[in-house]
Amino acid sequence: MDKILQNLGLCNRAGGFISGIELVCEYLASGKVYYIFLANDASDNTKKKIRNKALYYNVEVDESYSSSELSLAVGKINRMVLGVTQKGFLKILKK
């Protein structure tokens, strides 16, 4: 497992992110998401929705990982979208 995925696991244990399409979109609209991990194997509709919202709210989207990699990193199943909600973790994840 690479360093970013390991740090994503740490972020999860500290409650530093949210997951789920609707929840991430809701938090984006309220300015509480600073970075998004979008599974590269998510559906086209999911990708379009998240990319458009992220572009509108000027939030970077990382599509480097599959849903199985993201799910394994955070210890939950079938995770397509993760939104980082704490700026401190953003610095760690982008190293």
Side-chain angles (χ1 to χ4, degrees), residues 55-89:
L55 181 64
Y56 182 80
Y57 292 107
N58 198 30
V59 174
E60 189 175 347
V61 177
D62 183 341
E63 296 183 48
S64 304
Y65 303 101
S66 68
S67 61
S68 60
E69 290 171 313
L70 293 175
S71 299
L72 182 63
V74 300
K76 298 180 180 181
I77 58 169
N78 201 26
R79 298 298 147 167
M80 297 289 166
V81 182
L82 304 174
V84 178
T85 58
Q86 294 181 6
K87 284 186 179 181
F89 283 113

Side-chain angles (χ1 to χ4, degrees), residues 23-40:
L23 192 56
V24 169
C25 288
E26 180 184 319
Y27 272 60
L28 267 170
S30 63
K32 295 179 183 174
V33 170
Y34 304 105
Y35 194 79
I36 296 173
F37 288 94
L38 175 61
N40 54 26

